[in-house]
Amino acid sequence: MSDISTEKYIEEARRGIANPVLQKALVGLQDRFGRGTAEAYRRLPEGPDLRIKAHEIREKAIANLDVLLEILADKIRANGGHLYFAETAQEAVDYGLAVARRNNVRLVVKGKSMVSEEIGLNPALEAAGIEVVETDLGEYIIQLAGEKPSHIIAPAVHKNRHDIADLFVQKLGIRRTTDPPELTHAARKALRAKFLAADMGTSGVNMACAETGHITTVSNEGNIRMATTMPRVHVAFMGMERIVARLDEYEIILRLLCRGAAAQTMGTYASYIGGPRRPGESDGPDEFHLVVIDNGRSRILADPQFREMLYCVRCAACLNVCPVYGKIGGHSYGFAYSGPVGAVVTPLLTGINRAKDLCQGETLCGACRDACSMNIDLPRMLLALREKLAYGDAAWQVKPASRAEGLAYRGWSWLIRNRRLYELGLKLAATGQKLLPHRKGMLRRLPPPVQGWTQSRDLHPLAEETFMERWRRTRKS
Amino acid sequence: MDTPDQINFFRRIRAALGHAPDVSRNASHLFAEGPSPEELQLLDRIRRRTAEGRQALLERLVEAGKPINLSVTALPDVAYASAAIVRLVGEKKPEWGDAKHIAAWRHPLIDRLNLPEALDRLQVPVHATAPIPIDAGSQFDQVERERQRAGIIASFIGVTSADFCLADTATLVMRNRPGQPRSAALVPSIHVAVIHLDQILSDMKELFALLRWDERYRSEGLSNYMSFISGPSKTADIEATMVHGAHGPREVHLFVVTE
């Protein structure tokens, strides 16, 4: 599996908030895509309710996942393609490596794919002495910089043109320019040479269709088309949930995917791949492999509380409206998936205790649910994760996240059921608070262990007279 | 063909869904035996489309092309299309070198453009992408594929047709076939597509209704590789600035022959 650093959420979030370049980029990103996507849904001939229909389509597909995957596999094999079903990330990577070795592959061009980030494909290929080149411009930039993507659709959103200019001078040896078209052209030139020299291309899968036996990939740049057309071998990696039954259903998913991802009515390129080059054709790969990946998804499938997460198509619309993502940026989430989708899917894939801060960090404001192209109720699942963290859960091997918190709540519950003690406590606190630092009638700092409450705001002090005291007094008079 | 990886994989999925792990399920109810009432209407609408209807679609296509930088030009016949291509070849500069080469599909409509003859005066070689004879032997196959690939890489303009064009999203729809390689619409810096007016459909719904239920298209299906192309390649990965020509063509010109 790839590097996971979900434990550093709080530390990384602080770093993100303190980064002025990131802050500016995130405001721009959310302004543009957040609003644009809502507008794009409104402009649908069927209106935003098409998302409800899409949710039904995905629900039906996931409930019949075994049948649909079997049909897809049969059709792709009948068209000369190869299928491999990987239970774990390691199995998926090993299969990709075996294909590369068998074909004496020295250079791989990679189309952007979040699932290959999830399984850690690049490090494994590189460890085997194979050069791997990211070809999506954003991914290429961060690969040259030795970093990780910070957004599903805009992976290099945290870098500005000056960062990229310095990087290209250093890595591509170009004359320094901060002009985006010139920078893009420098990458175009460098990557064209790679596309034409590569022995193998890899891609993800946006959505497969069982009825026709195709996978589809969508891009604006054309990099995925290049990576799946020019090299001799194409290996596509697909999360097992990315499938619908019929072409007419696929049509609805594709339209919503493009709107959710970039407020577009249609991405520039959508390719339907059903197998390798056929006899008589002059281009296309000699070999086509599809690797279908479980890697923890069957556990999500088995849990009715979380099955809905498998309806997700990773369009990233939720990132573009989330107030938390909008401040802390994608690196804080410490895994391939960031934002609200990451806050649910990362704990489920990597361990709920391990990624506990991700679901605790979200606000439950519901913006992600309204933006979701598949109308998924992310806040519901964030709450379900928090519940597991509060009480523990044997099936998911979750230990209660904080014993002290559990004790505190039990104490509180006991206290409020003992009226006299509670009122005595209030009196004591009302007196005790006078010792704390004040500013303009507000409490500036609470003592440990509750100091977090006043870290970024002042608190109202407790009233001199409690509600009950006032009630008694005014009723008498 | 059930490999061990597949058997275990499906056992896990069926168990997770609460079904017997070892029994393959039938789900014909998920698929359709015939077109839905909505699809029948779409098929009927396509069949009954009048000359005015086609003209209206063309106008929608021109409009949809504007925001995505796709230039759409209606021309009365193939001679005009041929002349328009000759003009482009003369005006545009190659991106990767000085020599002007172009690649062109082997396709009934493209063949009628007579490009080798039309470009003879400019001394621009035309790389034709002929189908590779299936029984020619693997060595010939290899050599011929290499030759065609080199021709397309050397070309600064690729001329193709398309199966359909969707007016609402300005999307060219192409199915890969012998003689009609997808790289001709991808590797050259400029992509020129020539189609006939009656190849324009309204949207994806019409396209999929045809591919699913019209006997003329159903047998070929989607082929092993079908592409949707909506305008030139683009990226906004550097500070959200839109740049055309990320990896694919920087320009796409669509000529619609209305003869």
Side-chain angles (χ1 to χ4, degrees):
Chain A
M1 218 189 268
S2 63
D3 295 348
I4 304 172
S5 57
T6 54
E7 298 89 341
K8 295 189 192 146
Y9 178 78
I10 293 174
E11 186 186 325
E12 288 291 330
R14 262 196 207 112
R15 205 201 301 255
I17 292 167
N19 177 346
V21 173
L22 178 70
Q23 291 302 314
K24 186 165 171 250
L26 288 171
V27 169
L29 176 93
Q30 294 202 327
D31 255 8
R32 208 167 54 252
F33 286 131
R35 277 165 220 219
T37 293
E39 181 53 32
Y41 292 152
R42 270 196 296 276
R43 277 201 312 263
L44 281 161
E46 300 90 339
D49 282 357
L50 191 63
R51 301 183 308 124
I52 297 169
K53 175 85 180 148
H55 192 274
E56 284 166 14
I57 291 171
R58 294 292 293 138
E59 184 176 8
K60 192 181 74 173
I62 298 301
N64 294 287
L65 196 53
D66 51 336
V67 184
L68 299 186
L69 286 174
E70 222 161 17
I71 294 171
L72 177 74
D74 288 348
K75 297 210 166 174
I76 288 183
R77 283 189 178 126
N79 280 328
H82 303 276
L83 257 292
Y84 180 71
F85 289 89
E87 181 184 356
T88 61
Q90 191 61 49
E91 284 181 12
V93 167
D94 287 347
Y95 182 84
L97 259 179
V99 172
R101 288 214 176 96
R102 213 169 39 240
N103 286 284
N104 300 316
V105 168
R106 286 204 299 265
L107 172 62
V108 170
V109 279
K110 181 165 164 256
K112 193 163 85 65
S113 144
M114 298 320 291
V115 78
S116 45
E117 284 288 325
E118 173 191 325
I119 63 176
L121 181 66
N122 290 14
L125 288 171
E126 281 160 3
I130 298 166
E131 183 187 354
V132 188
V133 183
E134 291 285 354
T135 59
D136 172 84
L137 178 57
E139 295 274 354
Y140 181 59
I141 290 167
I142 59 163
Q143 186 188 35
L144 289 181
E147 295 177 12
K148 289 192 170 289
S150 70
H151 187 281
I152 294 176
I153 304 298
V157 66
H158 59 286
K159 299 197 104 50
N160 67 18
R161 64 181 75 196
H162 302 283
D163 300 337
I164 297 165
D166 293 341
L167 187 68
F168 280 13
V169 168
Q170 192 198 341
K171 301 279 182 176
L172 302 181
I174 62 161
R175 188 181 54 79
R176 193 174 196 284
T177 169
T178 55
D179 178 44
E182 282 185 43
L183 288 168
T184 302
H185 193 262
R188 171 178 169 88
K189 192 174 169 189
L191 285 170
R192 183 178 166 95
K194 299 290 184 187
F195 282 125
L196 299 183
D199 320 283
M200 178 165 129
T202 66
S203 75
V205 171
N206 286 100
M207 189 55 69
C209 176
E211 178 182 72
T212 68
H214 286 76
I215 61 158
T216 55
T217 61
V218 182
S219 86
N220 281 321
E221 297 186 358
N223 60 316
I224 302 180
R225 240 165 90 76
M226 279 283 206
T228 58
T229 295
M230 303 312 281
R232 285 180 284 127
V233 183
H234 171 204
V235 185
F237 295 88
M238 160 179 165
M240 70 179 198
E241 76 281 12
R242 299 294 195 95
I243 189 166
V244 290
R246 305 193 316 239
L247 199 52
D248 53 333
E249 297 172 331
Y250 169 84
E251 190 260 350
I252 292 173
I253 305 294
L254 177 63
R255 279 196 288 145
L256 284 166
L257 173 70
C258 294
R259 280 168 170 81
Q264 287 178 295
T265 44
M266 180 76 95
T268 306
Y269 300 106
S271 301
Y272 300 69
I273 302 168
R277 180 180 66 81
R278 289 180 303 182
E281 295 180 344
S282 68
D283 67 359
D286 297 338
E287 282 185 30
F288 169 63
H289 299 260
L290 177 62
V291 182
V292 185
I293 298 166
D294 183 326
N295 198 29
R297 286 165 173 78
S298 51
R299 187 150 97 153
I300 302 175
L301 183 66
D303 190 330
Q305 260 191 318
F306 295 116
R307 184 179 289 180
E308 191 183 1
M309 199 57 230
L310 296 177
Y311 307 171
C312 173
V313 297
R314 308 283 189 267
C315 69
C318 56
L319 278 63
N320 301 335
V321 295
C322 175
V324 178
Y325 176 89
K327 288 308 286 182
I328 68 177
H331 287 148
S332 310
Y333 297 81
F335 193 50
Y337 311 108
S338 52
V341 45
V344 177
V345 91
T346 301
L348 295 177
L349 290 178
T350 68
I352 296 175
N353 278 108
R354 185 173 188 184
K356 66 177 173 25
D357 292 328
L358 275 59
C359 64
Q360 317 262 32
E362 297 293 313
T363 61
L364 304 175
C365 68
C368 49
R369 182 183 46 212
D370 297 340
C372 177
S373 58
M374 299 294 123
N375 204 37
I376 296 169
D377 195 348
L378 284 158
R380 180 186 64 73
M381 288 186 276
L382 287 168
L383 267 178
L385 284 168
R386 289 190 189 181
E387 190 190 10
K388 293 208 186 309
L389 283 164
Y391 300 109
D393 185 289
W396 284 90
Q397 291 113 36
V398 184
K399 290 199 292 281
S402 164
R403 213 162 272 283
E405 193 182 64
L407 272 175
Y409 274 108
R410 226 173 302 156
W412 173 252
S413 148
W414 176 79
L415 185 68
I416 57 171
R417 279 176 287 148
N418 290 277
R419 197 66 222 176
R420 274 164 203 283
L421 264 175
Y422 175 71
E423 283 185 11
L424 182 67
L426 270 182
K427 275 280 159 219
L428 281 174
T431 314
Q433 69 181 356
K434 289 181 181 147
L435 301 170
L436 296 172
H438 281 65
R439 172 165 57 198
K440 292 181 187 159
M442 302 283 276
L443 291 177
R444 271 177 60 197
R445 261 200 313 280
L446 289 179
V450 289
Q451 71 275 39
W453 287 90
T454 46
Q455 194 181 314
S456 56
R457 66 185 158 186
D458 296 341
L459 270 191
H460 256 293
L462 291 168
E464 288 284 331
E465 189 182 28
T466 67
F467 174 80
M468 286 308 287
E469 284 169 345
R470 190 170 173 183
W471 174 260
R472 281 184 218 119
R473 180 167 58 79
T474 51
R475 226 169 47 138
K476 268 177 209 153
S477 58
Chain B
M1 186 171 74
D2 281 0
T3 48
D5 56 290
Q6 178 163 350
I7 292 166
N8 289 327
F9 197 93
F10 281 87
R11 283 178 57 95
R12 271 193 309 277
I13 296 182
R14 290 190 199 105
L17 288 169
H19 301 299
D22 291 308
V23 186
S24 192
R25 294 193 302 135
N26 179 332
S28 49
H29 66 280
L30 295 173
F31 302 95
E33 300 267 306
S36 66
E38 194 200 350
E39 285 173 318
L40 281 174
Q41 266 182 7
L42 290 170
L43 293 169
D44 198 49
R45 185 169 89 188
I46 300 166
R47 216 171 12 243
R48 288 165 186 270
R49 189 158 279 145
T50 58
E52 293 82 58
R54 292 210 177 89
Q55 197 59 38
L57 281 185
L58 173 62
E59 278 155 30
R60 260 158 71 194
L61 169 62
V62 172
E63 282 309 305
K66 283 176 188 165
I68 58 171
N69 247 20
L70 168 72
S71 95
V72 183
T73 314
L75 297 166
D77 62 34
V78 282
Y80 278 86
S82 185
I85 292 171
V86 171
R87 204 159 41 242
L88 272 180
V89 173
E91 281 168 10
K92 301 287 178 182
K93 284 203 164 51
E95 185 179 358
W96 306 114
D98 297 326
K100 287 185 177 179
H101 291 230
I102 78 163
W105 268 9
R106 176 61 53 80
H107 179 280
L109 185 59
I110 303 303
D111 293 345
R112 282 174 59 205
L113 299 170
N114 281 326
L115 288 174
E117 215 172 292
L119 288 166
D120 194 41
R121 191 177 54 82
L122 294 174
Q123 293 190 312
V124 171
V126 178
H127 300 276
T129 58
I132 295 168
I134 290 170
D135 49 7
S138 67
Q139 201 181 343
F140 177 83
D141 185 277
Q142 177 78 23
V143 170
E144 181 57 18
R145 277 196 291 133
E146 285 298 328
R147 200 184 64 77
Q148 291 198 16
R149 178 184 165 107
I152 287 170
I153 292 171
S155 297
F156 82 123
I157 295 181
V159 181
T160 76
S161 188
D163 288 16
F164 302 100
C165 185
L166 313 180
D168 276 3
T169 47
T171 302
L172 289 161
V173 179
M174 303 175 180
R175 291 179 288 176
N176 223 52
R177 304 185 183 87
Q180 298 168 15
R182 65 226 218 195
S183 48
L186 176 67
V187 176
S189 309
I190 300 169
H191 172 206
V192 176
V194 185
I195 62 165
H196 201 267
L197 180 64
D198 60 16
Q199 288 173 286
I200 305 177
L201 298 172
S202 165
D203 53 21
M204 262 199 289
K205 279 191 193 299
E206 285 193 0
L207 170 74
F208 289 158
L210 281 181
L211 293 178
R212 292 183 85 199
W213 307 115
D214 189 308
E215 283 312 321
R216 284 171 297 169
Y217 308 109
R218 207 175 136 88
S219 51
E220 192 179 346
L222 275 60
S223 80
N224 270 12
Y225 190 95
M226 177 171 81
S227 18
F228 282 7
I229 301 177
S230 310
S233 152
K234 60 179 180 253
T235 184
D237 274 350
I238 300 177
E239 287 195 17
T241 310
M242 180 63 70
V243 179
H244 286 99
H247 304 289
R250 331 186 259 195
E251 291 177 34
V252 181
H253 300 265
L254 172 57
F255 297 123
V256 181
V257 177
T258 57
E259 63 191 355

